[in-house]
Amino acid sequence: MAYTIPILETLIDEFRKMPSVGTKSAERMAFYVLGLTDEETHRFANAIVGAHEKIHQCAVCRNLTEDEICPICQSPTRDKSTICVVENPRDVIAFERTHEYKGMYHVLHGAISPMNSVGPDDLTIKELLVRLNDDTVNEVIMATNPTVEGEATAMYIGRLLKPLGLKVTRLAYGVPVGADLEYADEVTLTRALAGRSLL
Amino acid sequence: MAYTIPILETLIDEFRKMPSVGTKSAERMAFYVLGLTDEETHRFANAIVGAHEKIHQCAVCRNLTEDEICPICQSPTRDKSTICVVENPRDVIAFERTHEYKGMYHVLHGAISPMNSVGPDDLTIKELLVRLNDDTVNEVIMATNPTVEGEATAMYIGRLLKPLGLKVTRLAYGVPVGADLEYADEVTLTRALAGRSLL
């Protein structure tokens, strides 16, 4: 570009680094920032720094939280006999949106993927096994993505858990195969939960 | 939502306020921030605050700049006899991307729009007239958007300038009518510049 404002280019670059943001969107976002008041700008910047500093993994379920133990793990009204195993925290948000699931979660932070050199040890599988040591849990719902990696992860963990005498289930294929779980709508997710089958 | 991390919701809300960002995109952006290093997070936040604090309008052309007078107005190689009048700073970036236009700019910061109560006094038209006081400028190219508001603005300014004995031109309709100028590609903008006609 023949003419640039370096500090504006820097901001556009920062926005462009975000997922699914192209140059045009990044430019629009940068100009949006220029149009904010001073107060709005600082609120925006502080939200970024604040969320990054204060959010970490729950000591129990590995979901993201501001607390030592997340509100779901702390809640006395949640059903502690069921654990829903998901790939990432966005999937927890998707399930909570259904208002149907009342059990616990376990966040793997990924899926087994030899292509991306992600093996079982890179996921929070050890932490899941620790949670199954007492007799509180009856059922583990494998709610990994309906992709090759998600299926492989569900199979792998299922094989680990079945010898423990647990009921291990898999989401019904109400969710469209090959898509990303976090984009499923509430109705589809609710049906997938209701129709879950033995693994 | 049954389960939320307040500080994460705050960040998602901040992203959702940006133009053409929906809830899903905002969530993805927020999780992107959580995955950054501390250094990357501060660089991102500082880019937002820095750009907002340091960028203001050029005293001459009203384009955005970090300096008192922008690099284009300061440049000794630009053709000072031609002024291209655009609605907003993004349009300047679009023209600079063509590498064809070597004249000056004037940024109106909007277009006349009675529907949105934007009148001529809300634009930088007075500042444009001041720039035409000496005999440096021969031609003013009206490069407002090919929309109802942009056309009305071009007509209005054209009528003000023609008594001054200036050549006042309008972009050729290489640009698709009804669309936003900033999305036009380089070739279309170059053709629109080349085919400009007397207003």
Side-chain angles (χ1 to χ4, degrees):
Chain A
M1 217 184 296
Y3 164 69
T4 56
I5 309 169
I7 204 163
L8 182 61
E9 291 303 307
T10 304
L11 181 57
I12 293 170
D13 283 342
E14 288 296 329
F15 280 129
R16 194 161 33 202
K17 285 180 198 161
M18 296 200 294
S20 47
V21 174
T23 303
K24 289 284 179 192
S25 302
E27 281 175 12
R28 279 193 165 262
M29 289 168 183
F31 282 106
Y32 158 82
V33 167
L34 300 186
L36 295 178
T37 65
D38 288 357
E39 198 198 327
E40 287 166 339
T41 306
H42 283 95
R43 201 185 304 146
F44 188 13
N46 290 340
I48 289 170
V49 174
H52 183 265
E53 274 177 1
K54 292 192 189 131
I55 295 174
H56 49 84
Q57 290 185 11
C58 168
V60 178
C61 73
R62 320 313 298 183
N63 190 12
L64 298 175
T65 178
E66 290 180 66
D67 312 306
E68 171 70 14
I69 294 176
C70 80
I72 293 179
C73 288
Q74 280 186 42
S75 167
T77 63
R78 306 283 306 210
D79 170 14
K80 299 219 183 316
S81 69
T82 311
I83 293 182
C84 180
V85 177
V86 296
E87 290 184 23
N88 62 59
R90 281 166 288 180
D91 300 331
V92 173
I93 296 178
F95 275 107
E96 287 300 290
R97 240 185 250 130
T98 69
H99 299 289
E100 288 287 325
Y101 182 68
K102 298 296 177 204
M104 315 302 282
Y105 293 97
H106 192 82
V107 181
L108 296 172
H109 290 281
I112 295 168
S113 170
M115 292 274 286
N116 301 309
S117 4
V118 179
D121 292 344
D122 299 312
L123 309 178
T124 62
I125 296 175
K126 273 191 301 285
E127 290 86 342
L128 174 62
L129 293 175
V130 168
R131 293 177 70 184
L132 303 174
N133 267 346
D134 57 19
D135 289 338
T136 325
V137 180
N138 299 323
E139 178 176 0
V140 175
I141 306 172
M142 294 306 309
T144 48
N145 278 328
T147 57
V148 176
E149 290 84 3
E151 289 298 339
T153 308
M155 295 299 286
Y156 178 89
I157 297 177
R159 247 172 297 194
L160 279 182
L161 301 191
K162 269 187 270 187
L164 306 180
L166 287 160
K167 189 173 164 195
V168 184
T169 56
R170 180 85 175 106
L171 283 188
Y173 274 111
V175 283
V177 176
D180 232 14
L181 227 164
E182 61 176 295
Y183 289 106
D185 62 271
E186 289 86 320
V187 178
T188 308
L189 273 179
T190 301
R191 283 190 189 156
L193 268 172
R196 67 185 185 265
S197 60
L198 282 164
L199 196 68
Chain B
M1 218 183 294
Y3 164 70
T4 57
I5 309 169
I7 205 163
L8 183 61
E9 291 303 305
T10 304
L11 181 57
I12 293 171
D13 282 342
E14 288 296 328
F15 281 129
R16 195 162 30 202
K17 286 180 199 162
M18 297 201 294
S20 47
V21 174
T23 304
K24 289 283 180 194
S25 303
E27 281 175 12
R28 278 193 166 263
M29 290 169 184
F31 282 106
Y32 158 82
V33 167
L34 300 186
L36 295 177
T37 65
D38 288 358
E39 196 197 329
E40 287 166 339
T41 306
H42 283 94
R43 201 185 303 145
F44 188 14
N46 289 340
I48 289 170
V49 174
H52 182 266
E53 273 177 2
K54 292 194 189 127
I55 296 175
H56 48 84
Q57 291 185 12
C58 167
V60 177
C61 74
R62 317 314 298 183
N63 191 11
L64 297 174
T65 177
E66 289 180 68
D67 312 306
E68 170 71 13
I69 293 175
C70 79
I72 294 179
C73 287
Q74 280 186 43
S75 166
T77 63
R78 306 282 306 209
D79 171 14
K80 299 220 183 314
S81 70
T82 311
I83 294 181
C84 180
V85 178
V86 295
E87 290 184 23
N88 63 59
R90 281 166 288 181
D91 300 330
V92 174
I93 295 177
F95 275 107
E96 287 300 291
R97 237 185 250 129
T98 70
H99 298 288
E100 287 287 324
Y101 181 69
K102 299 295 177 205
M104 316 302 282
Y105 292 97
H106 192 81
V107 181
L108 296 172
H109 290 281
I112 296 168
S113 169
M115 293 273 286
N116 301 310
S117 4
V118 179
D121 292 344
D122 299 312
L123 308 178
T124 62
I125 296 175
K126 274 190 300 284
E127 290 86 341
L128 173 63
L129 293 175
V130 168
R131 293 178 69 185
L132 303 174
N133 267 345
D134 57 18
D135 290 338
T136 324
V137 180
N138 299 322
E139 178 177 359
V140 175
I141 305 172
M142 293 307 308
T144 48
N145 279 327
T147 56
V148 175
E149 291 83 3
E151 289 298 339
T153 309
M155 294 300 285
Y156 178 88
I157 297 178
R159 249 174 294 196
L160 280 182
L161 301 191
K162 269 187 270 187
L164 307 178
L166 287 160
K167 189 174 166 193
V168 183
T169 57
R170 179 84 176 107
L171 283 187
Y173 274 112
V175 283
V177 175
D180 232 15
L181 228 162
E182 61 177 295
Y183 290 106
D185 61 271
E186 289 85 321
V187 178
T188 307
L189 272 179
T190 302
R191 282 189 190 157
L193 269 172
R196 67 186 186 265
S197 61
L198 282 165
L199 196 71

